[in-house]
Amino acid sequence: AAAAAPDGPGAAADGDPAEASPTSPVGRLAATVERLRREVRAAQAEAEGRALIELAKGILVERLGCGPAQAARQLAELTEQARVTPLEFAVEVINQAARDRMSEVTDAFLAAATGLGAAERDAAAVRLRAAESGALAASDAQAVADSLLEHALRPLGAVAVAVWAAGTDGSLTLAGSAGFSATEASRWRYVPPDVTTVARRGLAERSGQWITSLAETGLPTVGRQVYPDGGRVAVPAGTGGRIHGVLEIAWPGPLEPQPPQVVRQVEALAELCAHTLETYTPRAEAVPEPRVLPDAAELTELADGLHDPALVLVPHVDDSGQLADFRIQHVNTRFLDPAGRPRAVVSGALLLEAYPMTAGDSELFQRIERVYATGEPFRARHMHLTALVDQVPLSAVADISISRHGNSVLLIWRIEDEAARLASLLQHAQRLGRIGGFEENLLTGQISWNSQMFDLYGRSATSPPVPLEDLPAHAHPDDAVTIGRFLRTLLHHRRPASAAFRLQRPDGVNRHLRVVAEPVLDTDGRLFVVRGAYQDISAQHWTEVALAATRDQLAHTEQQAAERNRLALQLQHAIMPPAQAPLQMPGLEVAVRYRPAETEQLVGGDWYDAVVLPSRRVLLCVGDVAGHGIEAATSMVVLRNALRGLAVTGAGPGQLLSWLNIVAHHLTGAVTATAVCGLYDPGRRTLRWARAGHLPPVLVRGPDAAPLPLVKGILLGAVPEAVYEEAEVQLAPDDTLLMYTDGLVERRDRSVEESLTHLLTTARTAPRTLDQQLDRLLTYSRSDTDDDTCLVGVRVD
């Protein structure tokens, strides 16, 4: 216990030798313990080294064909020439001769360990071989755990290791551990089935579990209280395709992602554990009520006693010892091959040879591999199976059961009978389609109904069926003519017939039914049987009625919408015709353009105005009412006419917009709109303007074009009262002023700034006349919102 203390969490209990005086009793005791510890470690290393050196001598005896003494001299000479220790050279000889998985892992690990010196790399190779030697020579899993931790895992920073044996029922038994206290190991000696732990997760996944920190997962496991934030690795331990247990490794702190070489090293160590677990027998007190599993012979007897088709499979391994396939050891007498082959053809064959497509279809072969590896049974219903016979795939549907018994696998498949399956499908189809079938013998009067017929008629299953001649008494009186025509065609003319009628049930519910029937004649041509079916079409009938009403309502709504759009379009064109003659006055030329929306259903509220006031000033304005349709068009008319009337008062543009805001908010149903209003003084060549949430006018002067500086102003109708800021701009001869609505520039995939930049680029190239310039702006407009567009151009002479 004292020798193991420095490697465990209780090392401080022995005291620190450096803190005790060498001459004191405690100091002398600590020095003695340390000396004994070194001697024990040296003895262990010497014993393991001798085993590896003797193994290397044996390899030289076999390779050189010499005796042991000569092999020893040859090993000493080669060691001296290589200038390494005898133990390091022995490991090199073993690796070169074995070329096994441990050699591959050692080579890959040393090749990637570029940060290690030569001595450290050689020591790593010795540790791996020493771990292998100790594990293979160990008598039980406990000795394997001690050897792996001491030689291979402590250099990787691990502090503890647990070797778990997997039971056939899904349980886990702690076969051996190192680094954990005896109390902790006894608490975890047995884990029942279906309890999720770190080892259970490692058993369920082939790649294992690499957990950075236990605190992140919350999974229970051995030693969690000692290392609550430590990293864990749980790797399945298996050979020949069968998993015998799990190797779990503990780190004291979080585990960083490991390189592939370390991952392969851990997998190789898990494979070493599997060789011991393969023959591991749990103690009686560890596992409650251990089961004795039958061998293949007993499983064959069990399969013959089953009432379902069964196959007994045994593993088939390749030359390297890896599971390659399963051999069909036995098929019972109830076995049914999907391809119809006899039992003798299938028995004794490899599974993938007899059924090549099981490797892909429904992953059946992978399921069998999984059951054989873990011992956990698998069951599935209605799995599709495919057999490939003479290059022709044959399909079947079966219930599957797979279980492992000892070293064999029992596969049971119950192939569904096609006729029974079709009959079941027919019953479901009749139920879903609310179809009832009947057959009536006209000679004997015997009537056969299925269960759906009683449901359709609203009658109990014990009540007598209704004959065809009594059908008019159960139908709606208004359908008497239809029922009479149906019965005459069927019974008198002896031809198939159908009819749709309303059935009056005893519970007072009326159902819409469709009946289809056909006559059956005997050898003399006489009618003796009538058979047919009823179908409940009530849902279809009421759906058709609802659709007809919906179509009528939709047609009426479309007619109303078309009429409203026509009126809105007429009103819009009456106020603002698309083409208008330019406004001419001395020293000023004004031209306007209005482009309506391409879709008549999107009639909007864009408006413009250019009029000479009694004061000889010119009112210039554009606006856009939110929305479309007749409401937007009528609101546009109200605002346009109100602004024209208010402008006669001689107020400035800011005051005009304040009054117009009151009109929009109180007098027109609280509509919102944007607008730009300007008053041009021909004598001074100045423009006073204000804006209500609208884009500013653009001034084109020579080769330059730029928007006027923004002034403050909220959109119309948003608040009861608002104040609008004014600005004044001095115009010069040949200047052009452009006022427009957003239909000229707005795009769905571009910002307003990008669209305005394009407009300014187009406006800089000014044609000779104002009309040509406005037409050019409309032509090269990139707007894609299909909205109305108003454009007012003013050119100073």
Side-chain angles (χ1 to χ4, degrees):
D7 296 332
D14 292 331
D16 190 350
E19 296 178 359
S21 174
T23 60
S24 65
V26 175
R28 286 195 297 270
L29 177 60
T32 302
V33 171
E34 182 65 24
R35 177 177 55 80
L36 292 176
R37 182 186 297 113
R38 289 196 299 268
E39 291 177 358
V40 169
R41 290 180 177 175
Q44 290 176 346
E46 183 180 357
E48 293 161 352
R50 283 198 302 269
L52 295 177
I53 292 174
E54 291 301 323
L55 180 58
K57 289 180 182 179
I59 294 174
L60 292 180
V61 169
E62 189 273 334
R63 294 290 177 89
L64 302 178
C66 61
Q70 186 179 356
R73 289 194 300 271
Q74 185 69 23
L75 182 62
E77 293 176 2
L78 294 175
T79 300
E80 184 177 358
Q81 294 175 7
R83 295 184 179 181
V84 295
T85 65
L87 183 57
E88 293 169 351
F89 190 79
V91 170
E92 181 66 23
V93 172
I94 296 172
N95 286 341
Q96 293 295 331
R99 304 316 303 170
D100 55 3
R101 178 163 176 77
M102 188 59 68
S103 301
E104 296 176 2
V105 171
T106 303
D107 293 343
F109 180 78
L110 297 180
T114 56
L116 300 179
E120 293 174 318
R121 292 196 296 270
D122 294 338
V126 172
R127 286 197 304 269
L128 291 178
R129 276 300 171 188
E132 178 193 30
S133 176
L136 295 178
S139 59
D140 57 12
Q142 180 60 46
V144 171
D146 292 334
S147 178
L148 294 184
L149 179 61
E150 182 65 27
H151 298 290
L153 297 177
R154 283 199 191 278
L156 298 179
V159 292
V161 62
V163 180
W164 301 90
T168 57
D169 58 349
S171 63
L172 291 174
T173 304
L174 187 60
S177 65
F180 299 113
S181 65
T183 303
E184 183 71 6
S186 64
R187 292 178 58 246
W188 285 89
R189 68 182 185 277
Y190 177 73
V191 179
D194 301 326
V195 176
T196 303
T197 63
V198 174
R200 169 79 59 196
R201 290 279 184 89
L203 184 67
E205 299 184 14
R206 291 189 176 184
S207 59
Q209 283 283 305
W210 291 76
I211 301 175
T212 303
S213 174
L214 288 177
E216 298 179 357
T217 63
L219 291 175
T221 187
V222 58
R224 180 183 176 89
Q225 295 179 351
V226 181
Y227 309 111
D229 299 326
R232 286 297 171 100
V233 172
V235 181
T239 57
R242 179 171 174 177
I243 298 176
H244 302 284
V246 178
L247 173 63
E248 183 175 355
I249 308 168
W251 274 261
L255 178 64
E256 299 296 331
Q258 298 296 308
Q261 293 76 17
V262 173
V263 175
R264 293 174 60 188
Q265 179 180 346
V266 171
E267 292 174 349
L269 296 177
E271 188 174 332
L272 288 177
C273 296
H275 291 288
T276 301
L277 294 175
E278 191 173 6
T279 58
Y280 172 76
T281 302
R283 293 178 296 176
E285 68 273 11
V287 182
E289 299 182 4
R291 296 185 300 169
V292 179
L293 300 178
D295 57 13
E298 294 173 337
L299 191 59
T300 298
E301 296 179 0
L302 174 63
D304 287 336
L306 296 175
H307 291 279
D308 293 319
L311 299 88
V312 178
L313 307 176
V314 295
H316 175 74
V317 297
D318 55 18
D319 296 337
S320 62
Q322 299 297 321
L323 180 66
D325 202 346
F326 289 90
R327 187 170 298 280
I328 303 176
Q329 185 76 10
H330 178 72
V331 293
N332 66 358
T333 56
R334 297 182 181 273
F335 174 75
L336 295 176
D337 181 63
R341 295 172 295 185
R343 296 170 53 223
V345 176
V346 179
S347 181
L350 293 176
L351 182 63
L352 291 180
E353 291 180 357
Y355 305 101
M357 300 188 73
T358 58
D361 275 7
S362 303
E363 300 181 349
L364 178 59
F365 186 82
Q366 287 79 1
R367 297 291 186 183
I368 298 173
E369 277 187 313
R370 181 65 182 169
V371 171
Y372 176 74
T374 64
E376 298 180 3
F378 170 79
R379 291 176 178 84
R381 293 181 58 83
H382 307 300
M383 178 179 282
H384 288 273
L385 301 179
T386 304
L388 189 63
V389 181
D390 296 331
Q391 305 303 316
V392 178
L394 303 175
S395 298
V397 178
D399 296 338
I400 297 295
S401 174
I402 310 172
S403 57
R404 191 183 76 188
H405 302 266
N407 199 43
S408 305
V409 175
L410 180 64
L411 171 61
I412 302 174
W413 60 28
R414 187 184 301 108
I415 299 178
E416 295 184 358
D417 181 70
E418 188 67 17
R421 190 162 67 92
L422 292 178
S424 176
L425 290 176
L426 179 60
Q427 292 179 358
H428 289 302
Q430 291 176 345
R431 176 180 57 83
L432 295 174
R434 301 185 62 83
I435 299 175
F438 72 92
E439 182 175 282
E440 182 175 348
N441 191 315
L442 300 180
L443 299 180
T444 63
Q446 182 179 2
I447 304 174
S448 299
W449 275 12
N450 65 2
S451 59
Q452 290 295 325
M453 282 292 296
F454 290 98
D455 293 339
L456 292 178
Y457 267 79
R459 302 166 67 92
S460 65
T462 58
S463 60
V466 177
L468 279 177
E469 62 182 10
D470 294 343
L471 184 58
H474 295 269
H476 193 279
D478 294 344
D479 297 329
V481 176
T482 302
I483 296 297
R485 186 183 305 111
F486 165 76
L487 294 177
R488 285 194 301 272
T489 303
L490 180 65
L491 303 178
H492 179 68
H493 299 290
R494 295 181 295 182
R495 296 198 306 266
S498 64
F501 66 98
R502 286 163 288 181
L503 177 69
Q504 294 181 325
R505 305 196 327 175
D507 55 8
V509 177
N510 288 343
R511 307 297 297 178
H512 290 261
L513 300 183
R514 180 183 300 277
V515 58
V516 180
E518 64 177 4
V520 179
L521 308 180
D522 60 12
T523 56
D524 297 330
R526 293 176 300 180
L527 175 66
F528 77 101
V529 169
V530 174
R531 58 192 176 200
Y534 288 81
Q535 182 180 15
D536 189 347
I537 59 172
S538 300
Q540 176 183 349
H541 170 76
W542 293 117
T543 300
E544 292 176 352
V545 171
L547 286 176
T550 302
R551 283 194 295 267
D552 293 343
Q553 181 65 28
L554 181 60
H556 179 67
T557 303
E558 289 178 347
Q559 182 178 2
Q560 285 185 327
E563 182 66 20
R564 288 169 61 87
N565 287 329
R566 185 183 63 82
L567 293 176
L569 195 61
Q570 289 180 347
L571 177 61
Q572 190 179 57
H573 287 178
I575 301 300
M576 292 181 304
Q580 180 170 317
L583 176 65
Q584 298 288 348
M585 65 178 300
L588 187 68
E589 179 183 3
V590 180
V592 296
R593 293 291 187 273
Y594 173 70
R595 181 176 62 188
E598 296 182 5
T599 304
E600 293 185 356
Q601 286 77 9
L602 296 179
V603 174
D606 287 20
W607 52 277
Y608 65 87
D609 204 356
V611 61
V612 179
L613 300 176
S615 62
R616 304 307 298 169
R617 291 186 298 177
V618 180
L619 173 66
L620 302 170
C621 57
V622 294
D624 185 1
V625 177
H628 296 86
I630 187 68
E631 292 82 3
T634 53
S635 298
M636 172 268 293
V637 173
V638 171
L639 295 181
R640 183 174 185 268
N641 291 340
L643 183 59
R644 177 175 285 195
L646 293 171
V648 180
T649 62
Q655 183 62 55
L656 293 178
L657 290 181
S658 297
W659 290 336
L660 195 63
N661 175 71
I662 297 176
V663 174
H665 188 80
H666 295 283
L667 304 181
T668 58
V671 301
T672 57
T674 63
V676 170
C677 177
L679 292 174
Y680 178 71
D681 187 346
R684 299 174 52 227
R685 289 180 177 172
T686 58
L687 175 73
R688 291 175 60 201
W689 68 284
R691 56 181 289 271
H694 203 87
L695 294 173
V698 172
L699 176 61
V700 181
R701 177 172 291 172
D704 297 327
L708 296 182
L710 281 177
V711 292
K712 297 180 181 179
I714 192 173
L715 76 164
L716 301 174
V719 295
E721 295 183 1
V723 176
Y724 295 89
E725 183 180 351
E726 293 183 358
E728 184 174 286
V729 58
Q730 181 69 49
L731 300 181
D734 297 329
D735 282 353
T736 301
L737 189 71
L738 303 175
M739 304 169 68
Y740 55 92
T741 59
D742 56 5
L744 183 66
V745 296
E746 193 174 39
R747 286 185 61 86
R748 298 183 179 93
D749 58 346
R750 295 288 188 273
S751 64
V752 176
E753 290 76 11
E754 293 181 72
S755 301
L756 185 58
T757 301
H758 174 73
L759 173 65
L760 297 177
T761 303
T762 307
R764 290 188 182 101
T765 306
R768 183 177 57 183
T769 66
L770 181 60
D771 286 331
Q772 291 176 344
Q773 185 172 11
L774 299 188
D775 292 338
R776 175 184 173 83
L777 291 175
L778 290 177
T779 301
Y780 289 96
S781 170
R782 293 184 179 179
S783 174
D784 62 354
T785 56
D786 194 22
D787 200 359
D788 293 355
T789 300
C790 289
L791 179 60
V792 176
V794 178
R795 178 168 292 180
V796 179
D797 294 338

